[in-house]
Amino acid sequence: MSTPAPPRFTHERHARILEWLNAHGRVEVLELARLLEVSEHTIRRDLEALQANGVLHRTHGGAVSLDTTRLSFGGRSAVLAEVKDSLGRAAAEVIQPGQSVVLDAGSTTLALARALTVRPLTVITNSLDVAAVFDRDRGVQLIVLGGVWQPVARAFWGHATCQMLEHHRADWAVPGACAVDLQAGVTAVEEADAMLKRAMVRAARRTLVLADHSKVGGVAPYHVAEWSDVDTLVTDQPWPALAERGVSVQVAALPAR
């Protein structure tokens, strides 16, 4: 099988980069420079242009796809890491001392867990990463939901997990959002994951959703919640149309560049 000729034009190079990214979820500058037979400087400029167009996220040494379902947990954590930290800090201000919160697995909810400093606090979670944030904290009553371990999501899912959650009631549910859309609401990629997220919403008095701009306007296959089920959305860009529906839209302050 013959090797494709190196692309001569910028748009051809961009198309080849996106093709590689869609297939593998992440790309490295050195590898792309070798494959496309151009300088590393050219590849970095290409990645910056593609990031500006909102189709990937630059990382140290390369880039990752914004379709985070293709990535490992570490890869997902690297996507918009500073934005997720900002969302976590903004969301933490919503939680009050003495409240209980159901925290889903995911890199953005993990950022919230790390930002939660109010005590006392009750945390119910299906994530071992979230649990590890609080495992030695005497000010937190920690409840870990069991079930079938999902190594890619780093979470417990399944019927047993939902059954355990039925025995608990919380002030806040924070289900992870794979995608959020004005019409479709909150959606998820995996059916078992969506089933658990719906159970989280049912178990809580109020629902808090964190979603950066890369998830806004997307629709995943499985329904999680209508906007009528959501009290607060924390995001990084204003969303007036959603605020008009009665959802409290909190725009996180992003770090200065």
Side-chain angles (χ1 to χ4, degrees):
M1 184 175 178
S2 60
T3 302
R8 296 175 55 196
F9 302 105
T10 300
H11 71 273
E12 293 176 336
R13 208 166 50 245
H14 287 185
R16 191 77 65 81
I17 291 171
L18 291 176
E19 180 182 351
W20 185 264
L21 191 64
N22 289 335
H24 301 280
R26 65 184 307 119
V27 292
E28 302 292 337
V29 169
L30 288 172
E31 186 175 30
L32 287 175
R34 178 179 58 81
L35 290 171
L36 302 180
E37 299 182 14
V38 294
S39 69
E40 294 176 32
H41 174 73
T42 297
I43 293 297
R44 290 191 181 94
R45 192 171 61 232
D46 289 338
L47 295 180
E48 288 172 0
L50 290 167
Q51 177 174 259
N53 288 332
V55 296
L56 55 74
H57 177 68
R58 286 292 313 276
T59 63
H60 180 70
V64 294
S65 171
L66 289 179
D67 179 6
T68 57
T69 60
R70 295 177 176 271
L71 302 175
S72 66
F73 184 84
R76 293 195 301 275
S77 299
V79 176
L80 302 176
E82 290 184 349
V83 172
K84 291 176 181 180
D85 287 343
S86 296
L87 298 187
R89 289 191 295 270
E93 296 179 4
V94 176
I95 312 300
Q96 300 299 310
Q99 289 189 329
S100 54
V101 56
V102 183
L103 280 179
D104 198 1
S107 55
T108 310
T109 47
L110 181 58
L112 167 57
R114 290 169 174 158
L116 277 172
T117 58
V118 297
R119 300 293 186 269
L121 187 68
T122 298
V123 173
I124 305 166
T125 186
N126 64 321
S127 164
L128 293 187
D129 296 302
V130 169
V133 174
F134 304 107
D135 65 347
R136 299 187 182 184
D137 192 326
R138 295 191 178 186
V140 176
Q141 181 182 18
L142 178 63
I143 301 168
V144 180
L145 304 170
V148 179
W149 176 246
Q150 304 293 330
V152 174
R154 294 192 55 77
F156 291 105
W157 294 351
H159 183 66
T161 318
C162 292
Q163 278 192 320
M164 292 176 201
L165 191 53
E166 289 177 359
H167 297 287
H168 299 282
R169 291 294 179 267
D171 294 294
W172 289 97
V174 189
C178 299
V180 292
D181 177 78
L182 189 62
Q183 303 303 325
V186 184
T187 52
V189 172
E190 300 287 344
E191 183 176 15
D193 184 28
M195 181 174 67
L196 179 59
K197 295 178 192 303
R198 290 194 296 271
M200 291 178 175
V201 172
R202 290 194 301 271
R205 294 172 53 227
R206 286 165 286 186
T207 298
L208 170 65
V209 173
L210 286 66
D212 63 68
H213 65 271
S214 70
K215 297 179 179 180
V216 174
V219 180
Y222 297 99
H223 176 256
V224 172
E226 303 288 352
W227 289 118
S228 58
D229 301 319
V230 177
D231 297 86
T232 303
L233 172 76
V234 178
T235 185
D236 57 332
Q237 293 182 355
W239 197 352
L242 183 60
E244 290 174 2
R245 294 196 172 195
V247 178
S248 174
V249 178
Q250 309 275 347
V251 181
L254 300 182
R257 294 287 182 181

